[in-house]
mmCIF file of all heavy atoms in Angstrom:
data_model
loop_
_atom_site.group_PDB
_atom_site.id
_atom_site.type_symbol
_atom_site.label_atom_id
_atom_site.label_comp_id
_atom_site.label_asym_id
_atom_site.label_seq_id
_atom_site.Cartn_x
_atom_site.Cartn_y
_atom_site.Cartn_z
ATOM 1 N N TYR A 25 -6.995 -4.320 50.049
ATOM 2 C CA TYR A 25 -7.102 -3.499 48.862
ATOM 3 C C TYR A 25 -5.717 -3.081 48.380
ATOM 4 O O TYR A 25 -4.763 -3.000 49.160
ATOM 5 C CB TYR A 25 -7.972 -2.272 49.117
ATOM 6 C CG TYR A 25 -7.546 -1.422 50.285
ATOM 7 C CD1 TYR A 25 -6.600 -0.409 50.134
ATOM 8 C CD2 TYR A 25 -8.108 -1.608 51.540
ATOM 9 C CE1 TYR A 25 -6.219 0.369 51.203
ATOM 10 C CE2 TYR A 25 -7.736 -0.833 52.613
ATOM 11 C CZ TYR A 25 -6.790 0.160 52.430
ATOM 12 O OH TYR A 25 -6.430 0.946 53.508
ATOM 13 N N PRO A 26 -5.598 -2.796 47.082
ATOM 14 C CA PRO A 26 -4.305 -2.408 46.535
ATOM 15 C C PRO A 26 -3.941 -0.990 46.941
ATOM 16 O O PRO A 26 -4.787 -0.221 47.391
ATOM 17 C CB PRO A 26 -4.529 -2.493 45.017
ATOM 18 C CG PRO A 26 -5.985 -2.217 44.863
ATOM 19 C CD PRO A 26 -6.648 -2.829 46.063
ATOM 20 N N SER A 27 -2.690 -0.666 46.775
ATOM 21 C CA SER A 27 -2.248 0.683 47.128
ATOM 22 C C SER A 27 -2.859 1.721 46.207
ATOM 23 O O SER A 27 -3.002 2.880 46.568
ATOM 24 C CB SER A 27 -0.721 0.781 47.067
ATOM 25 O OG SER A 27 -0.276 0.462 45.748
ATOM 26 N N ASN A 28 -3.251 1.289 45.020
ATOM 27 C CA ASN A 28 -3.825 2.243 44.067
ATOM 28 C C ASN A 28 -5.355 2.180 44.079
ATOM 29 O O ASN A 28 -6.007 2.162 43.050
ATOM 30 C CB ASN A 28 -3.318 1.979 42.648
ATOM 31 C CG ASN A 28 -3.670 0.584 42.166
ATOM 32 O OD1 ASN A 28 -3.726 -0.345 42.950
ATOM 33 N ND2 ASN A 28 -3.894 0.438 40.878
ATOM 34 N N ILE A 29 -5.948 2.152 45.278
ATOM 35 C CA ILE A 29 -7.396 2.234 45.357
ATOM 36 C C ILE A 29 -7.799 3.691 45.179
ATOM 37 O O ILE A 29 -7.271 4.574 45.846
ATOM 38 C CB ILE A 29 -7.926 1.658 46.693
ATOM 39 C CG1 ILE A 29 -9.424 1.837 46.805
ATOM 40 C CG2 ILE A 29 -7.218 2.285 47.881
ATOM 41 C CD1 ILE A 29 -10.027 1.182 48.028
ATOM 42 N N TYR A 30 -8.708 3.940 44.263
ATOM 43 C CA TYR A 30 -9.095 5.313 43.968
ATOM 44 C C TYR A 30 -10.524 5.643 44.361
ATOM 45 O O TYR A 30 -10.825 6.768 44.717
ATOM 46 C CB TYR A 30 -8.895 5.613 42.474
ATOM 47 C CG TYR A 30 -7.462 5.885 42.133
ATOM 48 C CD1 TYR A 30 -6.635 4.889 41.634
ATOM 49 C CD2 TYR A 30 -6.919 7.155 42.326
ATOM 50 C CE1 TYR A 30 -5.308 5.143 41.338
ATOM 51 C CE2 TYR A 30 -5.597 7.419 42.031
ATOM 52 C CZ TYR A 30 -4.792 6.405 41.535
ATOM 53 O OH TYR A 30 -3.482 6.663 41.238
ATOM 54 N N ALA A 31 -11.402 4.647 44.282
ATOM 55 C CA ALA A 31 -12.797 4.958 44.580
ATOM 56 C C ALA A 31 -13.556 3.690 44.931
ATOM 57 O O ALA A 31 -13.183 2.585 44.516
ATOM 58 C CB ALA A 31 -13.472 5.630 43.380
ATOM 59 N N VAL A 32 -14.608 3.864 45.685
ATOM 60 C CA VAL A 32 -15.556 2.783 45.970
ATOM 61 C C VAL A 32 -16.951 3.267 45.603
ATOM 62 O O VAL A 32 -17.353 4.364 46.003
ATOM 63 C CB VAL A 32 -15.512 2.355 47.445
ATOM 64 C CG1 VAL A 32 -16.627 1.361 47.752
ATOM 65 C CG2 VAL A 32 -14.156 1.738 47.770
ATOM 66 N N GLY A 33 -17.625 2.458 44.845
ATOM 67 C CA GLY A 33 -18.958 2.840 44.395
ATOM 68 C C GLY A 33 -20.014 1.857 44.845
ATOM 69 O O GLY A 33 -19.721 0.725 45.233
ATOM 70 N N TRP A 34 -21.255 2.320 44.807
ATOM 71 C CA TRP A 34 -22.416 1.475 45.070
ATOM 72 C C TRP A 34 -23.278 1.390 43.814
ATOM 73 O O TRP A 34 -23.525 2.395 43.152
ATOM 74 C CB TRP A 34 -23.263 2.055 46.197
ATOM 75 C CG TRP A 34 -22.740 1.805 47.573
ATOM 76 C CD1 TRP A 34 -21.997 2.663 48.347
ATOM 77 C CD2 TRP A 34 -22.923 0.622 48.355
ATOM 78 N NE1 TRP A 34 -21.717 2.076 49.555
ATOM 79 C CE2 TRP A 34 -22.276 0.827 49.594
ATOM 80 C CE3 TRP A 34 -23.571 -0.595 48.144
ATOM 81 C CZ2 TRP A 34 -22.254 -0.146 50.606
ATOM 82 C CZ3 TRP A 34 -23.552 -1.549 49.140
ATOM 83 C CH2 TRP A 34 -22.904 -1.310 50.349
ATOM 84 N N PHE A 35 -23.730 0.180 43.539
ATOM 85 C CA PHE A 35 -24.619 -0.080 42.423
ATOM 86 C C PHE A 35 -25.776 -0.937 42.934
ATOM 87 O O PHE A 35 -25.697 -1.535 43.995
ATOM 88 C CB PHE A 35 -23.888 -0.846 41.314
ATOM 89 C CG PHE A 35 -22.875 -0.044 40.564
ATOM 90 C CD1 PHE A 35 -21.641 0.259 41.135
ATOM 91 C CD2 PHE A 35 -23.125 0.404 39.275
ATOM 92 C CE1 PHE A 35 -20.693 0.999 40.439
ATOM 93 C CE2 PHE A 35 -22.185 1.139 38.567
ATOM 94 C CZ PHE A 35 -20.969 1.430 39.152
ATOM 95 N N ARG A 36 -26.813 -1.028 42.157
ATOM 96 C CA ARG A 36 -27.895 -1.953 42.463
ATOM 97 C C ARG A 36 -28.429 -2.555 41.178
ATOM 98 O O ARG A 36 -28.296 -1.975 40.099
ATOM 99 C CB ARG A 36 -29.024 -1.268 43.230
ATOM 100 C CG ARG A 36 -29.827 -0.270 42.412
ATOM 101 C CD ARG A 36 -30.862 0.426 43.285
ATOM 102 N NE ARG A 36 -31.624 1.426 42.537
ATOM 103 C CZ ARG A 36 -32.479 2.265 43.098
ATOM 104 N NH1 ARG A 36 -32.680 2.236 44.414
ATOM 105 N NH2 ARG A 36 -33.130 3.138 42.344
ATOM 106 N N GLN A 37 -29.026 -3.715 41.343
ATOM 107 C CA GLN A 37 -29.636 -4.383 40.200
ATOM 108 C C GLN A 37 -30.934 -5.030 40.648
ATOM 109 O O GLN A 37 -30.923 -5.912 41.520
ATOM 110 C CB GLN A 37 -28.700 -5.421 39.592
ATOM 111 C CG GLN A 37 -29.221 -6.001 38.286
ATOM 112 C CD GLN A 37 -28.158 -6.773 37.539
ATOM 113 O OE1 GLN A 37 -27.177 -7.240 38.108
ATOM 114 N NE2 GLN A 37 -28.347 -6.903 36.246
ATOM 115 N N ALA A 38 -32.013 -4.579 40.060
ATOM 116 C CA ALA A 38 -33.314 -5.167 40.328
ATOM 117 C C ALA A 38 -33.546 -6.301 39.337
ATOM 118 O O ALA A 38 -32.952 -6.319 38.246
ATOM 119 C CB ALA A 38 -34.406 -4.105 40.194
ATOM 120 N N PRO A 39 -34.396 -7.246 39.683
ATOM 121 C CA PRO A 39 -34.668 -8.366 38.770
ATOM 122 C C PRO A 39 -35.136 -7.875 37.405
ATOM 123 O O PRO A 39 -36.032 -7.040 37.304
ATOM 124 C CB PRO A 39 -35.773 -9.134 39.493
ATOM 125 C CG PRO A 39 -35.581 -8.815 40.939
ATOM 126 C CD PRO A 39 -35.101 -7.394 40.958
ATOM 127 N N GLY A 40 -34.491 -8.396 36.367
ATOM 128 C CA GLY A 40 -34.875 -8.045 35.016
ATOM 129 C C GLY A 40 -34.388 -6.695 34.537
ATOM 130 O O GLY A 40 -34.734 -6.268 33.428
ATOM 131 N N LYS A 41 -33.580 -6.022 35.354
ATOM 132 C CA LYS A 41 -33.091 -4.693 34.978
ATOM 133 C C LYS A 41 -31.576 -4.671 34.949
ATOM 134 O O LYS A 41 -30.917 -5.536 35.509
ATOM 135 C CB LYS A 41 -33.616 -3.639 35.956
ATOM 136 C CG LYS A 41 -35.131 -3.463 35.918
ATOM 137 C CD LYS A 41 -35.562 -2.294 36.774
ATOM 138 C CE LYS A 41 -37.068 -2.073 36.689
ATOM 139 N NZ LYS A 41 -37.505 -0.917 37.511
ATOM 140 N N GLU A 42 -31.047 -3.644 34.295
ATOM 141 C CA GLU A 42 -29.610 -3.486 34.238
ATOM 142 C C GLU A 42 -29.082 -2.940 35.570
ATOM 143 O O GLU A 42 -29.816 -2.319 36.342
ATOM 144 C CB GLU A 42 -29.225 -2.540 33.098
ATOM 145 C CG GLU A 42 -29.564 -3.066 31.725
ATOM 146 C CD GLU A 42 -29.050 -2.150 30.620
ATOM 147 O OE1 GLU A 42 -28.578 -1.045 30.934
ATOM 148 O OE2 GLU A 42 -29.118 -2.556 29.454
ATOM 149 N N ARG A 43 -27.803 -3.181 35.793
ATOM 150 C CA ARG A 43 -27.166 -2.642 36.989
ATOM 151 C C ARG A 43 -27.140 -1.121 36.897
ATOM 152 O O ARG A 43 -26.840 -0.551 35.847
ATOM 153 C CB ARG A 43 -25.761 -3.204 37.125
ATOM 154 C CG ARG A 43 -25.042 -2.818 38.400
ATOM 155 C CD ARG A 43 -23.729 -3.573 38.507
ATOM 156 N NE ARG A 43 -23.928 -4.952 38.923
ATOM 157 C CZ ARG A 43 -22.951 -5.857 38.909
ATOM 158 N NH1 ARG A 43 -21.746 -5.529 38.495
ATOM 159 N NH2 ARG A 43 -23.204 -7.083 39.323
ATOM 160 N N GLU A 44 -27.424 -0.486 38.011
ATOM 161 C CA GLU A 44 -27.585 0.967 38.056
ATOM 162 C C GLU A 44 -26.582 1.581 39.018
ATOM 163 O O GLU A 44 -26.453 1.144 40.161
ATOM 164 C CB GLU A 44 -29.014 1.302 38.517
ATOM 165 C CG GLU A 44 -29.302 2.779 38.734
ATOM 166 C CD GLU A 44 -30.656 3.008 39.361
ATOM 167 O OE1 GLU A 44 -31.284 2.037 39.835
ATOM 168 O OE2 GLU A 44 -31.094 4.181 39.401
ATOM 169 N N PHE A 45 -25.892 2.603 38.579
ATOM 170 C CA PHE A 45 -24.965 3.344 39.433
ATOM 171 C C PHE A 45 -25.755 4.167 40.439
ATOM 172 O O PHE A 45 -26.740 4.823 40.093
ATOM 173 C CB PHE A 45 -24.093 4.268 38.593
ATOM 174 C CG PHE A 45 -23.353 5.299 39.396
ATOM 175 C CD1 PHE A 45 -22.223 4.949 40.127
ATOM 176 C CD2 PHE A 45 -23.789 6.619 39.427
ATOM 177 C CE1 PHE A 45 -21.551 5.906 40.876
ATOM 178 C CE2 PHE A 45 -23.126 7.568 40.164
ATOM 179 C CZ PHE A 45 -22.003 7.215 40.885
ATOM 180 N N LEU A 46 -25.292 4.155 41.689
ATOM 181 C CA LEU A 46 -25.942 4.919 42.751
ATOM 182 C C LEU A 46 -25.060 6.035 43.302
ATOM 183 O O LEU A 46 -25.496 7.180 43.421
ATOM 184 C CB LEU A 46 -26.338 3.988 43.899
ATOM 185 C CG LEU A 46 -27.288 2.853 43.557
ATOM 186 C CD1 LEU A 46 -27.474 1.958 44.769
ATOM 187 C CD2 LEU A 46 -28.609 3.381 43.046
ATOM 188 N N ALA A 47 -23.841 5.681 43.674
ATOM 189 C CA ALA A 47 -22.998 6.658 44.354
ATOM 190 C C ALA A 47 -21.550 6.185 44.329
ATOM 191 O O ALA A 47 -21.278 4.994 44.201
ATOM 192 C CB ALA A 47 -23.450 6.836 45.802
ATOM 193 N N VAL A 48 -20.656 7.146 44.481
ATOM 194 C CA VAL A 48 -19.224 6.826 44.541
ATOM 195 C C VAL A 48 -18.546 7.801 45.489
ATOM 196 O O VAL A 48 -18.973 8.951 45.634
ATOM 197 C CB VAL A 48 -18.572 6.883 43.145
ATOM 198 C CG1 VAL A 48 -18.666 8.273 42.530
ATOM 199 C CG2 VAL A 48 -17.131 6.416 43.202
ATOM 200 N N ILE A 49 -17.517 7.290 46.149
ATOM 201 C CA ILE A 49 -16.707 8.123 47.020
ATOM 202 C C ILE A 49 -15.245 7.880 46.702
ATOM 203 O O ILE A 49 -14.823 6.731 46.520
ATOM 204 C CB ILE A 49 -17.016 7.856 48.514
ATOM 205 C CG1 ILE A 49 -16.289 8.860 49.408
ATOM 206 C CG2 ILE A 49 -16.691 6.420 48.908
ATOM 207 C CD1 ILE A 49 -16.821 8.889 50.843
ATOM 208 N N ARG A 50 -14.510 8.932 46.579
ATOM 209 C CA ARG A 50 -13.080 8.811 46.324
ATOM 210 C C ARG A 50 -12.368 8.399 47.606
ATOM 211 O O ARG A 50 -12.640 8.946 48.677
ATOM 212 C CB ARG A 50 -12.521 10.120 45.790
ATOM 213 C CG ARG A 50 -13.049 10.463 44.388
ATOM 214 C CD ARG A 50 -12.419 11.737 43.860
ATOM 215 N NE ARG A 50 -12.938 12.076 42.530
ATOM 216 C CZ ARG A 50 -12.366 11.683 41.404
ATOM 217 N NH1 ARG A 50 -11.267 10.932 41.444
ATOM 218 N NH2 ARG A 50 -12.894 12.020 40.241
ATOM 219 N N TRP A 51 -11.460 7.419 47.468
ATOM 220 C CA TRP A 51 -10.808 6.883 48.653
ATOM 221 C C TRP A 51 -9.940 7.926 49.336
ATOM 222 O O TRP A 51 -9.904 8.022 50.557
ATOM 223 C CB TRP A 51 -9.976 5.673 48.255
ATOM 224 C CG TRP A 51 -9.584 4.805 49.402
ATOM 225 C CD1 TRP A 51 -8.343 4.697 49.982
ATOM 226 C CD2 TRP A 51 -10.447 3.915 50.122
ATOM 227 N NE1 TRP A 51 -8.399 3.797 51.018
ATOM 228 C CE2 TRP A 51 -9.661 3.310 51.126
ATOM 229 C CE3 TRP A 51 -11.805 3.590 50.019
ATOM 230 C CZ2 TRP A 51 -10.186 2.374 52.011
ATOM 231 C CZ3 TRP A 51 -12.324 2.669 50.902
ATOM 232 C CH2 TRP A 51 -11.527 2.070 51.891
ATOM 233 N N SER A 52 -9.250 8.694 48.549
ATOM 234 C CA SER A 52 -8.420 9.774 49.081
ATOM 235 C C SER A 52 -9.124 11.091 48.852
ATOM 236 O O SER A 52 -9.474 11.423 47.736
ATOM 237 C CB SER A 52 -7.055 9.789 48.391
ATOM 238 O OG SER A 52 -6.280 10.861 48.835
ATOM 239 N N GLY A 53 -9.406 11.789 49.884
ATOM 240 C CA GLY A 53 -10.080 13.070 49.761
ATOM 241 C C GLY A 53 -11.556 13.016 50.066
ATOM 242 O O GLY A 53 -12.137 14.003 50.525
ATOM 243 N N GLY A 54 -12.192 11.876 49.770
ATOM 244 C CA GLY A 54 -13.584 11.698 50.153
ATOM 245 C C GLY A 54 -14.607 12.399 49.289
ATOM 246 O O GLY A 54 -15.777 12.505 49.679
ATOM 247 N N GLY A 55 -14.208 12.878 48.115
ATOM 248 C CA GLY A 55 -15.189 13.482 47.233
ATOM 249 C C GLY A 55 -16.262 12.486 46.838
ATOM 250 O O GLY A 55 -15.981 11.304 46.647
ATOM 251 N N THR A 56 -17.500 12.943 46.723
ATOM 252 C CA THR A 56 -18.610 12.045 46.449
ATOM 253 C C THR A 56 -19.431 12.490 45.244
ATOM 254 O O THR A 56 -19.414 13.665 44.861
ATOM 255 C CB THR A 56 -19.553 11.937 47.662
ATOM 256 O OG1 THR A 56 -20.148 13.218 47.914
ATOM 257 C CG2 THR A 56 -18.815 11.462 48.895
ATOM 258 N N ARG A 57 -20.123 11.550 44.663
ATOM 259 C CA ARG A 57 -21.099 11.853 43.625
ATOM 260 C C ARG A 57 -22.262 10.886 43.785
ATOM 261 O O ARG A 57 -22.052 9.689 43.965
ATOM 262 C CB ARG A 57 -20.488 11.712 42.230
ATOM 263 C CG ARG A 57 -21.466 12.056 41.107
ATOM 264 C CD ARG A 57 -20.699 12.317 39.818
ATOM 265 N NE ARG A 57 -20.138 11.113 39.217
ATOM 266 C CZ ARG A 57 -20.771 10.351 38.327
ATOM 267 N NH1 ARG A 57 -22.001 10.658 37.963
ATOM 268 N NH2 ARG A 57 -20.164 9.310 37.800
#
């Protein structure tokens, strides 16, 4: 990963549906949503 990694997120996509945001965590500090 690059030095400027800021966050990693999870998404999902069901058949026939749009990709959906699930969760994210900040790489530094660990804040989540």
Side-chain angles (χ1 to χ4, degrees):
Y25 55 87
S27 59
N28 60 327
I29 176 175
Y30 281 96
V32 173
W34 281 98
F35 289 75
R36 70 184 178 188
Q37 188 167 22
K41 295 187 177 181
E42 295 185 352
R43 185 173 283 171
E44 175 188 12
F45 166 77
L46 301 175
V48 61
I49 187 165
R50 293 183 181 268
W51 197 254
S52 177
T56 64
R57 182 162 72 90

